[in-house]
Amino acid sequence: MNQHKIITISRQYGSGGRIVAKKLADALGIPFYDNELITMAAEKTGLSVECFKDAEKTSVGNLFFSLTSLTPSLDSVGLPLNEKIFLVQSQVIKEVAEAGPCVIVGRSANYVLSENPNCINIFLQADLPDRVERAVNTYNQDPQGAEAMVIKTDKRRANYYNYFTGGKWGKAENYDLILNTSRMDLDKIVEVIKTYVSLR
């Protein structure tokens, strides 16, 4: 890539978003960040990886972090642990974006990098039956509770995003491109995104 472009991939659970993101990063020859961000943030703070994984589950209500507040240190007085974790993770996202082109999955990265002119934000969705099928066949979820789990996971992601950003997860105005992975196979979705990125 000739330009320093950052691609964020937000996704409904079971839409194949992580698979698409990894394929895209490989095709473009740039770094891919997903759980790696949690590991990097944990190393920065000395907290366990589990703390970061659990933080998404505890974000409820309607707290809005302005972009100017994304720089306090972890020991910021008075902040609950999950909010400190969000700030540190946001710092890591900004650092990897500044380091060079990359693909970042989730973590409200589209919001964290909203002031970065080189950032391209993608949202991937899919029809519920297709997401349930992928949850069972690709992610090895129990067929009995798969649909409820898919719905619950998306609700948790929405709560996390809405809580920290003041925006609405999945809302069109927060993304440059929204694609339904039920309409074509994932390799073609990757090609569509590559074409869009090349035209930006």
Side-chain angles (χ1 to χ4, degrees):
M1 296 179 70
N2 295 325
Q3 297 181 16
H4 184 148
K5 292 180 180 176
I6 312 302
I7 304 157
T8 73
I9 305 284
S10 304
R11 76 283 188 223
Q12 291 180 322
Y13 184 82
S15 65
R18 189 181 192 280
I19 298 170
V20 168
K22 184 66 170 68
K23 285 175 175 285
L24 179 65
D26 289 345
L28 296 174
I30 61 178
F32 165 80
Y33 295 103
D34 182 13
N35 292 327
E36 295 84 355
L37 295 170
I38 291 179
T39 302
M40 293 167 70
E43 290 174 352
K44 181 183 284 286
T45 62
L47 294 171
S48 70
V49 168
E50 286 70 27
C51 283
F52 286 84
K53 289 182 177 179
D54 290 342
E56 184 177 283
K57 301 176 183 178
T58 59
S59 303
V60 293
N62 186 28
L63 176 70
F64 169 62
F65 268 97
S66 70
L67 290 173
T68 57
S69 70
L70 294 180
T71 53
S73 62
L74 183 67
D75 58 355
S76 299
V77 178
L79 286 180
L81 180 61
N82 66 320
E83 295 169 16
K84 294 177 183 177
I85 284 173
F86 177 81
L87 293 180
V88 173
Q89 190 167 260
S90 297
Q91 290 174 13
V92 171
I93 289 170
K94 286 189 168 186
E95 287 170 6
V96 299
E98 290 171 3
C102 60
V103 177
I104 302 173
V105 177
R107 321 292 172 200
S108 304
N110 68 305
Y111 170 77
V112 174
L113 299 175
S114 60
E115 295 181 348
N116 187 325
N118 298 321
C119 193
I120 298 171
N121 302 306
I122 314 294
F123 189 88
L124 299 181
Q125 59 190 36
D127 300 343
L128 182 58
D130 293 331
R131 293 192 284 134
V132 173
E133 180 181 358
R134 183 171 283 114
V136 173
N137 296 331
T138 303
Y139 306 145
N140 300 315
Q141 297 295 335
D142 180 3
Q144 292 295 103
E147 181 172 328
M149 186 275 299
V150 167
I151 293 171
K152 181 178 180 181
T153 301
D154 278 354
K155 183 176 181 180
R156 188 171 69 238
R157 287 178 178 176
N159 286 341
Y160 180 87
Y161 184 90
N162 300 347
Y163 177 81
F164 284 111
T165 73
K168 187 172 181 180
W169 183 76
K171 192 172 183 180
E173 66 188 37
N174 295 323
Y175 309 94
D176 299 299
L177 186 65
I178 297 178
L179 296 169
N180 188 323
T181 61
S182 292
R183 304 296 179 260
M184 62 181 71
D185 67 47
L186 299 186
D187 286 333
K188 290 181 180 178
I189 293 288
V190 171
E191 290 303 314
V192 170
I193 298 174
K194 281 177 59 182
T195 299
Y196 183 84
V197 170
S198 70
L199 294 174
R200 277 283 297 265

